[in-house]
Amino acid sequence: MRSIEESPVTRDGKVLVLAYDHGIEHGPTDFAPQPESADPEHVFEIATHPAVTSLAVGKGVAEAYYPSYEDDVTLLSKLNGTSNLWMGEPDSAVNCSVEYAAEELGAEAVGFTVYPGSNHEVEMFEEFREVQEEAREYDLPVVMWAYPRGQGVKNDTKGGVVAYAARLGMEMGADVAKVKYPGSRDAMEHVCEMADPTKVIMSGGSRTDDREFVESVKAVMDAGGSGLAVGRNVWQRENPMEILDALEAVIFEDATVDEALRGAPANA
């Protein structure tokens, strides 16, 4: 991996990716709690919050909306993704090339999902290798969505499994590894140690209440993590800017959970 401390996708060396690839991965069901979130322009507006270091979207959304926001939003082009209708062993179709992301979309980073433990692991690792090497040619940071899944995985949030996923990110040249929270600060410390010097960020996951969510983010930061990639825990809220204020305080200002939530109503 390479240092991305001065990259547009970081702020003071920290990362907060606003993820909005859910239309491919999960379908319209994710937008039901806040129907306006189905409108990409609504989420692009959220991504102008100063805490957000990049917005992760697929090719079609970037083509349609990013030209209007390129001065205010840093684009992370999500290169692969498969619908929730897929019923086979975990896999992810490559939907966009690094070349297209860089030259046509104006992306300043790329993201790619890998499912270690799937029967399709070998092909996905080879696809990631191509992406990582081409991204180097364009000087684009690479974020690996490192999600162990498939017949070879019994518990994808077990500390050792998450640490293995993060280590794979480092070994394969990812600049940032996005992983699930392993349940405790101690476990997360081990995850970060195994990935160093690759930055480790937590996957935001399903919507939870404010305190539970911010406490998990605080634990990640205290364990040596570099931030967060979050979707539903932001844009499924009625007041997404308020939770982003809290996340900004925890990630970039080293605030306590109570300090971060002081201005955010519970369960907003």
Side-chain angles (χ1 to χ4, degrees), residues 185-256:
R185 175 178 170 175
D186 287 346
M188 194 69 195
E189 285 181 354
H190 181 59
V191 171
C192 294
E193 288 168 358
M194 289 301 100
D196 189 54
T198 291
K199 292 182 180 295
V200 175
I201 62 175
M202 183 185 90
S203 172
S206 301
R207 164 75 189 271
T208 60
D209 69 72
D210 287 5
R211 178 164 292 276
E212 180 182 356
F213 179 52
V214 175
E215 283 178 345
S216 66
V217 176
K218 179 63 173 174
V220 168
M221 301 308 296
D222 289 346
S226 295
L228 174 70
V230 58
R232 289 164 288 176
N233 267 296
V234 169
W235 44 255
Q236 280 188 350
R237 282 174 158 76
E238 292 180 8
N239 298 302
M241 295 302 194
E242 290 180 343
I243 194 66
L244 282 172
D245 287 344
L247 293 173
E248 182 175 31
V250 166
I251 293 172
F252 300 103
E253 300 166 10
D254 196 28
T256 66

Side-chain angles (χ1 to χ4, degrees), residues 47-215:
T48 64
H49 190 288
V52 176
T53 61
S54 66
L55 174 64
V57 297
K59 176 170 65 177
V61 172
E63 285 180 337
Y65 293 92
Y66 185 58
S68 299
Y69 288 89
E70 58 185 355
D71 292 334
D72 302 306
V73 174
T74 297
L75 177 63
L76 191 162
S77 182
K78 187 63 170 33
L79 302 183
N80 65 340
T82 299
S83 81
N84 207 28
L85 303 174
W86 169 255
M87 297 300 291
E89 268 285 282
D91 201 355
S92 195
V94 180
N95 305 314
C96 184
S97 68
V98 174
E99 179 182 9
Y100 193 86
E103 297 189 359
E104 302 298 328
L105 300 180
E108 297 191 71
V110 295
F112 197 88
T113 298
V114 173
Y115 294 128
S118 167
N119 288 341
H120 300 292
E121 175 188 289
V122 171
E123 296 92 329
M124 297 191 79
F125 280 16
E126 291 174 348
E127 290 166 351
F128 182 83
R129 182 258 303 166
E130 294 177 2
V131 163
Q132 193 266 356
E133 292 178 1
E134 189 173 2
R136 291 291 180 253
E137 297 176 10
Y138 287 95
D139 198 27
L140 296 179
V142 181
V143 181
M144 177 191 282
W145 271 239
Y147 289 165
R149 290 181 187 170
Q151 293 184 20
V153 180
K154 304 304 181 186
N155 182 348
D156 66 346
T157 59
K158 186 177 179 180
V161 174
V162 178
Y164 201 162
R167 181 72 185 200
L168 286 170
M170 186 272 281
E171 295 277 353
M172 296 170 66
D175 301 299
V176 180
K178 177 191 176 193
V179 300
K180 291 190 175 183
Y181 182 55
S184 72
R185 175 178 170 175
D186 287 346
M188 194 69 195
E189 285 181 354
H190 181 59
V191 171
C192 294
E193 288 168 358
M194 289 301 100
D196 189 54
T198 291
K199 292 182 180 295
V200 175
I201 62 175
M202 183 185 90
S203 172
S206 301
R207 164 75 189 271
T208 60
D209 69 72
D210 287 5
R211 178 164 292 276
E212 180 182 356
F213 179 52
V214 175
E215 283 178 345

